[in-house]
Amino acid sequence: MREFVRHPSDIPLDVKILSEPGARHAHMHDVSMAGLSCLVAREIKAGSRVEFYVPSISEESSGRGTVVWCRPQREKYQLGIQFHAGKDVFRARMVEQLCQIEHYRREVEQLESRILSSEEAAEEWISLYAADFDRLFPLE
């Protein structure tokens, strides 16, 4: 088992611009008290109001925010999304923990050839890492 927990940047995130139909696929990069950053294939203009979702966990909105910056990064764009409310910070932290659990489930399958249900992965991850989550992934 690894000594530390990586941020699960391989977990997909969907970003929906509130004024447009459809959603853009992204990958979460970071979460802080103020917001989150993610990578998307196409530019989303600063000032755009968005909702974000983690489709592998839930089709319900994980939070809302405003794009405060969008920077080219190789063939993609890195977005900075500022949360609208304190509840969005809480939701994003919960989503981040769920992403950690899903990442752990995938990693155990790949490295140990063990197939875990979501519930089994959650139980193992909680016993191994939950107590250190805030220290390992502090809100900046």
Side-chain angles (χ1 to χ4, degrees):
M1 195 56 58
R2 81 174 17 166
E3 186 175 325
F4 61 93
V5 183
R6 288 185 312 203
H7 185 81
S9 58
D10 61 339
I11 300 296
L13 180 74
D14 282 349
V15 177
K16 180 184 182 333
I17 302 170
L18 295 177
S19 63
E20 296 179 10
R24 301 199 185 172
H25 300 295
H27 285 89
M28 191 180 329
H29 185 260
D30 226 348
V31 178
S32 73
M33 283 291 285
L36 64 85
S37 67
C38 61
L39 292 174
V40 294
R42 294 189 340 232
E43 179 180 17
I44 297 178
K45 294 192 184 310
S48 299
R49 294 175 56 93
V50 297
E51 282 185 324
F52 49 92
Y53 306 80
V54 179
S56 64
I57 295 170
S58 173
E59 292 298 319
E60 293 182 29
S61 172
S62 298
R64 288 182 173 216
T66 300
V67 175
V68 291
W69 51 264
C70 181
R71 300 179 184 136
Q73 187 172 357
R74 297 188 184 141
E75 294 99 33
K76 297 187 180 212
Y77 293 87
Q78 187 171 5
L79 296 180
I81 299 172
Q82 182 178 14
F83 296 134
H84 284 173
K87 70 179 180 180
D88 293 317
V89 175
F90 175 76
R91 284 178 161 177
R93 288 299 276 183
M94 293 302 295
V95 165
E96 187 175 20
Q97 287 186 7
L98 292 171
C99 289
Q100 289 286 352
I101 292 166
E102 176 62 16
H103 181 76
Y104 174 79
R105 187 187 67 74
R106 291 179 185 179
E107 191 172 60
V108 165
E109 182 176 350
Q110 181 182 12
L111 297 176
E112 300 175 21
S113 299
R114 285 193 302 136
I115 308 294
L116 298 175
S117 69
S118 295
E119 293 79 17
E120 291 167 332
E123 284 180 28
E124 284 188 22
W125 186 89
I126 288 167
S127 70
L128 292 168
Y129 302 113
D132 293 325
F133 181 76
D134 288 335
R135 181 181 58 76
L136 294 170
F137 299 98
L139 289 172
E140 298 169 3

